[in-house]
């Protein structure tokens, strides 16, 4: 597949385009300064307006100059199975590991990975070493991002409590002044209900959302996997769904308490993973609470059956991975150690339903690279985390291909959804195909796929559990802030 | 069976009876005599010899079975562990005359293993060897005391002993290795 | 037998025979059938064993028992093979059983216990494996506190890995010796249709898990009985039919229902840490409600077998007069353990990896 081009290596020719299967023609050049691009006869998805269909667009000097929606005969033969163009993705939740764990990821490698995954905005979580509990770390992360040369925008998430220790509030006001997009102690939950109550009120005053990793530390203590059939058979310590749901319930009760006095409060529950959690949020939203939530691609597509060796997508599997006979892969792959743990197929299905009905606002990757020495260990000894920023789109498109998720909903969950969670503060413009704005978009070949592997992945850490797997949808180009962030090799 | 027959059922029977006479003659009686068959075709042969002795000497000679699998010198070379068929020596071998019985004597390695195995059970005063067929090509300094039939062979040939107890018929055949699917000499 | 045979079928056609004990004259059964080939390079759990393979292990164990009965209970089958016994958990009994088994086969045995290895210095598991392999180990017997660790070892170790117990997950040699002991002692020599009760802390027991696989596969009427906190989650397994659909078992906290008409009762060791973990009120209460006493054993069939994987907390999960009583086969389990481990070491040694 050689469908589109932005040719940094072939400056000046401007003529190395090719025709894709949908008849799309992408032609242009994308110099370091600003992208030049013409795309004709592609499938455009614009979550800002809710519109999708055949169209064309032109980028000049990094600015989206024209968007033309095609009709009638012009549109014939152009479908969502060819080249599609969508706004750049926003990841609400990425652990870029720098400073502190540069063997797992650096800002530069993380942003390269993000661009490969189609992301143009990344929220960098606060669990660095030192933690981002005062403006210095946020400023340093921004400087590292600038030095990397990547046009992908980094939004710093500030810690909620000092040292993420959960005992006293971090420098929330100063962090807000320094541009913190959110406050979070993730991957730690806020143990003290009292501290969470204060933090929500104070952050609400500042107009900054609080992102909470909802888990009851007592119920999840020492856990290695989802408490269920798989953990029982494999002899792994289980974390019950109740560990997450008890915390979600607590957090929502505190939110209801705070919102009476601080109407600006916003709580975002990160990477929910159980059917019960989704149900609790659904009810809270119906009651008008200012709560948002996200799910990860791996909790949508993978199940705890993978720990036993299953390699079926969640929507293809059952809660008994042995139901169809012996399993393909060896069990206990450390690459599947993640928190919250991979859940049952029923939980994954409930997360998908939540995404479809709007209970779930966004898909966030919880990109958490793990350095090889921390991963090539016994399952229970592994540092948890899945580096998912490059495979998020592919997993969602797998669900689209399986008929489980409309394409427009998948794209909205990566664009307008996260923007709504973050609120108006950090974003200059809402994601969309907005003429006159700096181009911020992704060109994807839906007729092609790619194989996850060491040569195709830009993230630094230990291999993803998806290594060797073919994923649908090849990101041909990622343009962030009018500049080329990613270009598929050979394009 | 595709091979050329070198012993018929009758010849096999006569050879067994002759060996039984030789054993008694050499021992000058049956006192202190034990027969130990090497798994697996040596075991029924030992029982036949014992039956023949019982017939002409009216003496019951104890018979044991020796599995030499654990003593083979090629365990580290074979692709898969041979199935163990079991050892049964329900008597004390110390100070006795033990006649090892096997079907084919070839390289001598099986007998070497059998001697090692036997010595782990005690100290016989004498060990002798009786075989139905000696086909030559010794790789160790071992010879048989009692031989049913000497058969000149080449290394490319295989000698197959068939016994009713194991194979449903009595005969000895010789065949080219090329005719065998992954087979190897039985001894 | 010559070197350089193509791998795969045995170099000499071998027929099926019976392994015989010292007392029984050799009788070769089923002369024309071919034995099942052992194809496993590692044994990490019993879930991978087919019925034929289990039979092969049983027959090979018979042969090893015969070896153990010899004046010199030692054969040269594994001469020149380095068997490294790496135990990340303290366990004298199992470690010694493996060591005796390996030495009976004339293997060179290297013992590494956590206290004496550089594990305590922070050397990673994989570093340790690489070192052991570089030092010439051809077989690794591994005991590890983390469930699944043997699978990691099998992935990286060039030789054979024999699981000596991992976390709560599996203890295949124990399950096989349990099955072997039951088959020797039960009338008819089979556990099929027999009521077997695993009594106690099954949730945290690798012995229970491996026995669930092997006993359901063997067709036993398997019951798992213990306090609700110590059998939690097993109900889902019992009813789900993991593996072939027929492999179901019964989970209950009703000790009387479990023991009634049982043919075998296997009590599990109760760890002190279950009390500190808040799973049980006290040892005394556990013993009163779930301990295997003479009165409770009377519910089982007359002559029912009493088993225990050891080490025993006498007076807690099992009363001393039951553990040492006429129905107890606990010491026979220990003796059979050596034979089973010899059989498995022997069989695994015949399968070499791609390296």
């Amino acid at each position: 597949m050689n469908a589109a081009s932005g040719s940094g290596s072939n400056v000046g020719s401007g003529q190395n385009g090719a025709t894709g299967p949908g008849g799309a023609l992408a032609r242009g050049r994308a110099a370091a300064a600003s992208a030049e691009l013409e795309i004709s006869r592609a499938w455009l998805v614009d979550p800002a307006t809710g519109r999708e269909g055949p169209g064309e667009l032109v980028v000049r000097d990094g600015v989206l100059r024209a968007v033309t929606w095609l009709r009638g005969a012009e549109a014939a033969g152009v479908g969502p199975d060819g080249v599609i163009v969508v706004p750049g993705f926003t990841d609400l939740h990425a652990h870029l590991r720098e400073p502190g764990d540069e063997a797992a990821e650096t800002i530069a490698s993380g942003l390269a990975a993000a661009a490969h995954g189609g992301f143009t905005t990344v929220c960098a979580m606060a669990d660095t070493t030192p933690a981002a509990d005062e403006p210095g770390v946020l400023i340093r992360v921004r400087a590292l991002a600038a030095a990397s040369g990547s046009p992908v925008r980094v939004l710093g998430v500030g810690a909620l409590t000092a040292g993420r220790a959960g005992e006293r509030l971090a420098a929330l006001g100063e962090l807000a002044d320094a541009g913190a997009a959110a406050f979070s102690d993730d991957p730690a939950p806020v143990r003290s209900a009292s501290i969470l109550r204060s933090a929500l009120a104070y952050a609400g005053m500042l107009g900054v959302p609080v992102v909470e990793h909802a888990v009851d530390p007592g119920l999840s203590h020492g856990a290695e996997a989802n408490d269920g059939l798989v953990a029982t058979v494999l002899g792994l310590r289980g974390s019950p769904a109740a560990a997450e749901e008890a915390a979600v319930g607590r957090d929502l009760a505190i939110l209801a308490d705070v919102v009476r006095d601080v109407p600006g409060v916003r709580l975002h529950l990160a990477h929910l993973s159980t059917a019960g959690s989704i149900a609790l949020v659904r009810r809270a939203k119906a009651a008008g609470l200012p709560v948002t939530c996200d799910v990860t691609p791996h909790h949508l597509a993978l199940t705890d059956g993978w720990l036993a060796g299953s390699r079926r997508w969640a929507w293809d599997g059952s809660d008994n991975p042995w139901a169809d006979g012996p399993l393909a892969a060896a069990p206990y792959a450390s690459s599947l150690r993640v928190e919250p743990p991979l859940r049952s197929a029923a939980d994954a299905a409930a997360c998908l339903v939540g995404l479809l009905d709007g209970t779930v606002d966004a898909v966030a990757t919880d990109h958490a690279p793990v350095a090889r020495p921390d991963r090539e260990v016994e399952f229970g000894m592994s540092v948890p985390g899945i580096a998912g920023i490059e495979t998020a789109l592919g997993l969602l498109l797998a669900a689209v291909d399986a008929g489980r998720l409309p394409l427009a909903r998948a794209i909205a969950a990566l664009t307008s959804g996260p923007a709504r969670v973050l609120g108006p503060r950090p974003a200059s413009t809402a994601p969309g195909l907005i003429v006159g704005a700096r181009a911020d978009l992704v060109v994807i070949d839906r007729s092609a796929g790619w194989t996850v592997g060491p040569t195709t992945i830009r993230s630094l850490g230990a291999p993803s559990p998806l290594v060797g797997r073919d994923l649908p949808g090849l990101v041909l180009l990622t343009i962030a802030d009018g500049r080329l962030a990613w270009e598929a090799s050979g394009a | 069976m595709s091979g050329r027959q070198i012993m018929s059922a009758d010849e096999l029977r006569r050879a067994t009876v002759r060996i039984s006479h030789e054993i008694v003659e050499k021992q000058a009686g049956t006192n202190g005599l034990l027969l130990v068959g090497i798994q697996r075709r040596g075991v029924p042969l030992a029982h036949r010899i014992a039956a023949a002795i019982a017939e002409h000497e009216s003496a019951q000679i104890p018979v044991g079975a020796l599995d030499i699998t654990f003593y083979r010198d090629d365990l580290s070379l074979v692709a898969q562990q041979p199935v163990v068929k079991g050892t049964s020596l329900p008597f004390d071998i110390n100070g006795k005359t033990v006649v090892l019985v096997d079907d084919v004597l070839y390289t001598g390695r099986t007998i070497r293993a059998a001697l090692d195995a036997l010595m782990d059970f005690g100290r016989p005063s004498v060990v002798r060897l009786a075989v139905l067929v000696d086909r030559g090509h010794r790789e160790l300094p071992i010879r048989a005391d009692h031989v049913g039939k000497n058969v000149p062979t080449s290394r490319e040939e295989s000698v197959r002993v068939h016994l009713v107890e194991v194979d449903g018929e009595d005969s000895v055949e010789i065949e080219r290795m090329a005719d065998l699917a992954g087979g190897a000499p039985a001894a | 037998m010559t070197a350089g045979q193509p791998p795969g079928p045995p170099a000499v056609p071998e027929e099926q025979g019976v392994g015989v004990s010292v007392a029984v004259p050799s009788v070769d059964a089923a002369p024309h059938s071919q034995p099942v080939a052992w194809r496993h390079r590692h044994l990490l759990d019993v879930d991978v064993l087919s019925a034929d393979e289990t039979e092969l292990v049983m027959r090979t164990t018979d042969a090893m028992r015969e070896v153990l009965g010899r004046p010199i209970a030692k054969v040269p089958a594994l001469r020149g093979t380095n068997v490294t016994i790496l135990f990340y958990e303290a366990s004298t009994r199992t470690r010694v059983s493996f060591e005796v088994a390996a030495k009976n086969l004339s293997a060179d045995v290297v013992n590494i216990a956590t206290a004496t290895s550089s594990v305590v210095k922070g050397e990673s598991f994989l570093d340790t494996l690489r070192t052991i392999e570089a030092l010439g180990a051809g077989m690794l017997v591994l005991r590890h506190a983390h469930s699944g660790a043997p699978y990691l070892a099998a992935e990286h170790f060039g030789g054979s890995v024999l699981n000596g117990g991992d976390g709560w997950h599996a203890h295949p040699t124990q399950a096989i010796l349990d099955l072997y002991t039951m088959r020797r002692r039960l009338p008819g020599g089979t556990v099929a249709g027999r009521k077997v009760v695993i009594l106690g802390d099954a949730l945290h027991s690798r012995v229970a898990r491996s026995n669930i696989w092997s006993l359901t596969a063997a067709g036993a009427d398997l019951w798992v009985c213990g306090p609700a906190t110590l059998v939690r989650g097993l109900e889902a397994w019992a009813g789900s039919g993991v593996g072939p659909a027929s492999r179901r078992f019964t989970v209950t906290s009703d000790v009387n229902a479990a023991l009634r008409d049982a043919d075998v009762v296997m009590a599990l060791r109760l760890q002190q840490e279950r009390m500190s973990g808040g799973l049980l009120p006290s040892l005394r209460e556990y013993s009163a409600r779930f301990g295997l006493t003479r009165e409770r054993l009377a519910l089982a069939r007359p002559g029912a077998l009493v088993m225990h994987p050891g080490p025993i907390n006498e007076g807690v999960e099992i009363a001393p007069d039951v553990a040492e009583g006429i129905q107890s086969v606990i010491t026979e389990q220990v003796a059979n353990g050596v034979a089973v481990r010899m059989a498995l070491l022997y069989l695994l040694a015949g399968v070499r990896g791609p390296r």
Side-chain angles (χ1 to χ4, degrees):
Chain A
M1 180 59 222
N2 191 27
S5 87
S7 132
S9 58
N10 200 4
V11 177
S13 85
Q15 282 295 330
N16 56 341
T19 303
L25 186 70
R27 191 152 41 92
R29 79 190 180 84
S34 51
E36 304 284 324
L37 185 70
E38 279 178 31
I39 293 180
S40 62
R41 294 173 55 73
W43 187 265
L44 311 185
V45 181
D46 185 2
T49 59
R51 185 167 185 179
E52 65 174 317
E56 300 181 338
L57 54 78
V58 178
V59 175
R60 289 271 179 269
D61 292 331
V63 174
L64 184 58
R65 295 291 182 197
V67 176
T68 312
W69 297 92
L70 302 177
R71 285 184 199 78
E74 289 179 299
V78 180
D81 50 356
V83 170
I84 66 173
V85 183
V86 300
F89 305 150
T90 294
D91 192 356
L92 287 175
H93 199 125
H95 300 274
L96 298 183
R97 303 301 194 205
E98 189 177 8
D101 189 9
E102 288 82 357
E105 196 80 288
T106 63
I107 298 291
S109 69
L111 295 185
H116 175 217
F119 288 88
T120 57
T121 301
V122 174
C123 293
M125 299 306 284
D127 62 324
T128 48
T129 308
D133 59 358
E134 46 84 31
V137 175
L138 288 191
I139 291 164
R140 183 166 167 203
V141 165
R142 261 203 297 274
L144 287 163
S148 77
S150 171
V152 173
R153 185 163 60 149
V154 176
L155 300 179
V157 173
L160 192 62
T161 65
R164 300 192 310 112
E167 285 161 7
R168 54 191 182 81
L169 297 184
L172 298 183
E174 292 173 31
L175 285 164
D177 292 344
F183 298 128
S184 180
D185 279 355
D186 176 275
V190 181
R191 282 171 179 262
S192 159
S194 162
I195 290 286
L196 180 66
R197 184 166 177 254
S198 304
L200 279 169
Y202 203 92
M205 173 190 81
L206 297 170
V208 177
V210 169
V211 176
E212 165 76 337
H213 176 151
V215 65
D216 180 284
L219 280 172
S220 65
H221 178 71
E224 300 164 289
N226 177 47
D227 193 46
L229 176 65
V230 171
T232 298
V233 174
L234 295 186
L236 293 172
R237 289 160 174 78
S239 178
E244 181 174 303
E245 291 153 9
V248 168
R250 179 199 76 161
D251 294 355
L252 291 173
I254 293 169
L255 178 66
D257 172 78
V258 172
V259 75
R260 282 196 288 273
D261 299 322
V262 187
V265 64
R266 280 184 292 144
L267 173 65
H268 179 76
L269 298 169
H271 46 58
L272 293 184
S273 64
T274 78
S277 297
I278 301 294
L280 286 167
V281 172
R282 186 176 289 124
R283 214 169 61 200
K285 283 188 161 186
L289 283 184
V291 62
T292 53
C293 71
D294 69 67
V295 297
T296 72
H298 47 270
H299 287 107
L300 287 172
L302 277 51
T303 64
D304 58 358
W306 282 51
L307 273 57
S310 168
R311 289 296 177 266
R312 287 167 176 269
W313 298 132
W315 46 85
D316 292 333
S318 74
D319 280 339
N320 180 353
W322 294 272
D324 301 327
L327 297 167
Y332 303 102
S334 296
S335 60
L336 293 162
R337 181 88 201 277
V338 65
E339 282 172 15
L342 297 175
R343 301 285 188 184
S344 69
D347 287 315
C351 290
L352 193 57
V353 168
L355 188 59
L356 293 170
D357 72 11
T359 303
V360 175
D361 301 88
V363 169
T365 69
D366 194 8
H367 179 72
V370 176
R372 278 178 181 272
D374 294 331
R375 178 118 280 174
E376 290 176 343
V377 293
E378 301 87 326
F379 185 84
M381 300 273 280
S382 174
V383 170
I386 289 177
I389 208 164
E390 293 170 87
T391 52
L393 174 67
L395 292 183
L396 291 185
L397 291 177
V400 171
D401 288 346
R404 306 293 170 140
L405 181 65
L407 176 65
R409 183 68 194 117
I411 299 305
L414 294 168
T415 54
S416 52
R420 191 168 61 246
V421 169
L422 290 172
R425 230 181 66 89
S428 49
T429 51
L433 302 176
I434 298 158
V435 174
R438 299 289 294 173
D440 198 84
L441 47 83
V442 194
V443 181
I444 303 157
D445 186 353
R446 287 286 281 121
S447 70
W450 61 292
T451 306
V452 184
T455 59
T456 54
I457 287 287
R458 293 297 179 276
S459 182
L460 282 188
S464 149
L466 296 168
V467 162
R469 192 95 185 192
D470 291 326
L471 292 180
L474 186 66
V475 175
L476 298 174
L477 291 172
T478 302
I479 295 172
D481 191 30
R483 292 156 60 200
L484 184 70
W486 167 262
E487 177 187 14
S489 59
Chain B
M1 294 296 159
S2 59
R4 171 171 58 87
Q5 189 177 82
I6 53 173
M7 286 180 88
S8 66
D10 260 354
E11 288 169 309
L12 203 156
R13 179 182 54 76
R14 281 195 289 274
T16 311
V17 171
R18 180 170 52 74
I19 288 173
S20 74
H21 282 286
E22 285 180 20
I23 288 171
V24 175
E25 199 177 327
K26 187 137 189 167
Q27 180 73 356
T30 58
N31 264 351
L33 195 58
L34 302 173
L35 294 175
V36 173
I38 297 173
Q39 291 278 20
R40 72 170 310 152
R41 287 176 184 76
V43 177
L45 277 176
H47 280 286
R48 290 185 189 196
I49 292 169
I53 293 175
E55 199 161 303
H56 54 78
E57 299 292 319
S58 302
Q60 295 297 325
I61 309 299
V63 178
L66 192 61
D67 186 311
I68 55 93
T69 306
F70 298 137
Y71 293 81
R72 286 165 55 153
D73 59 8
D74 59 354
L75 274 181
S76 61
L77 305 175
V78 298
Q80 204 156 43
Q81 298 294 54
V83 174
V84 181
K85 288 180 286 290
T87 289
S88 171
L89 298 180
F91 37 62
D92 182 4
I93 66 169
N94 282 298
K96 301 288 173 50
T97 296
V98 173
V99 180
L100 287 170
V101 180
D102 204 0
D103 53 352
V104 178
L105 177 59
Y106 180 27
T107 63
R109 290 178 188 273
T110 297
I111 306 306
R112 193 282 308 164
L115 288 168
D116 280 357
L118 196 62
M119 296 311 165
D120 282 351
F121 284 86
R123 186 180 183 283
S125 63
V126 180
V127 180
R128 297 201 177 103
L129 175 62
V131 297
L132 187 62
V133 175
D134 182 349
R135 58 168 294 192
H137 304 290
R138 214 79 73 242
E139 293 168 4
L140 296 173
I142 281 170
R143 63 163 181 80
D145 300 274
H146 313 290
V147 179
K149 187 181 177 79
N150 282 295
V151 181
T153 61
S154 84
R155 286 180 181 275
E156 284 69 47
E157 288 169 324
S158 164
V159 174
R160 292 275 165 130
V161 172
H162 304 288
L163 299 176
V164 167
E165 297 91 324
V166 180
D167 310 288
E169 62 161 343
D170 277 354
S171 73
V172 179
E173 290 174 350
I174 189 163
E175 54 195 308
R176 302 283 304 173
M177 294 277 265
D179 301 335
L180 299 171
Chain C
M1 182 68 59
T2 52
Q5 296 290 335
V12 169
E14 298 278 353
E15 290 82 8
Q16 191 170 20
V18 286
V20 291
S21 65
V22 170
V24 184
S26 171
V27 178
D28 288 329
H32 299 291
S33 63
Q34 288 291 314
V36 61
W38 181 263
R39 62 196 163 87
H40 301 288
R41 180 172 138 215
H42 313 292
L43 185 66
L44 309 181
D45 197 2
V46 290
D47 58 346
V48 297
L49 295 182
S50 68
D52 285 346
E53 288 164 346
T54 300
E55 284 307 314
L56 178 60
V57 175
M58 296 285 132
R59 266 192 286 136
T60 309
T61 302
D62 285 336
M64 294 306 176
R65 270 179 60 94
E66 181 273 314
V67 169
L68 291 175
R70 295 181 186 180
I72 298 172
K74 184 167 183 163
V75 291
L78 292 193
R79 201 170 52 183
T81 300
N82 177 320
V83 175
T84 295
I85 302 177
L86 175 62
F87 267 45
Y88 283 88
E89 273 186 348
S91 160
T92 306
R93 300 159 51 97
T94 308
R95 189 178 54 69
V96 168
S97 180
F98 275 113
E99 181 168 350
V100 169
K103 285 181 170 168
N104 286 347
L105 296 173
S106 305
D108 300 321
V109 179
V110 176
N111 247 303
I112 305 175
T114 42
T116 56
S117 78
S118 56
V119 169
V120 288
K121 295 178 211 151
E123 181 179 312
S124 86
F125 184 41
L126 291 192
D127 284 343
T128 304
L129 290 181
R130 282 188 273 265
T131 304
I132 288 170
E133 190 170 347
L135 290 172
M139 305 186 78
L140 175 68
V141 177
L142 177 67
R143 162 70 61 93
H144 202 293
H146 278 281
S147 295
Y151 293 82
L152 184 68
E155 200 179 312
H156 290 90
F157 184 68
S160 289
V161 177
L162 177 51
N163 185 1
D166 63 321
W168 300 346
H169 170 244
H171 197 345
T173 60
Q174 180 72 41
I176 293 169
L177 78 87
D178 288 340
L179 181 65
Y180 185 82
T181 305
M182 287 180 220
R183 286 170 42 136
R184 276 187 65 81
R185 284 306 201 98
L186 287 171
T190 174
V191 299
R194 299 290 181 167
K195 182 172 181 181
V196 180
V197 184
I198 296 176
L199 177 63
D201 182 8
L203 179 60
H204 305 96
S205 172
R206 51 186 167 227
V207 175
R209 281 184 176 77
S210 285
N211 265 302
I212 286 171
W213 282 109
S214 71
L215 291 172
T216 52
D221 173 22
L222 179 63
W223 289 57
V224 177
C225 176
T229 47
L230 301 183
V231 296
R232 192 179 48 74
L234 289 168
E235 181 60 45
W237 184 357
S240 71
V242 171
S246 61
R247 293 187 176 185
R248 293 174 196 271
F249 56 100
T250 308
V251 179
T252 181
S253 291
D254 181 344
V255 70
N256 291 339
L259 292 182
R260 193 165 296 123
D261 298 326
D263 295 287
V264 180
V265 184
M266 182 189 302
L268 299 174
R269 179 176 168 82
L270 186 75
Q271 309 277 356
Q272 284 283 347
E273 65 204 65
R274 303 301 163 236
M275 263 56 69
S276 57
L279 294 168
L280 286 177
S282 69
L283 282 183
R284 188 167 41 82
E285 185 165 327
Y286 177 83
S287 181
R289 286 172 182 264
F290 293 95
L292 185 58
T293 59
R294 201 202 300 238
E295 295 71 38
R296 291 217 169 91
L297 186 58
L299 292 169
R301 282 190 204 280
L305 305 180
V306 171
M307 303 177 74
H308 191 295
I312 294 174
N313 298 308
E314 282 203 351
V316 180
E317 69 265 6
I318 188 166
D321 61 337
V322 174
E324 288 148 27
I326 189 150
Q327 290 171 253
S328 169
V329 294
I330 294 171
T331 51
E332 191 176 325
Q333 285 176 275
V334 176
N336 289 341
V338 174
V340 161
R341 289 172 179 123
M342 287 169 73
L344 290 169
L345 287 169
Y346 169 73
L347 291 170
L348 291 173
V351 183
R352 279 161 198 87
R355 297 199 237 167

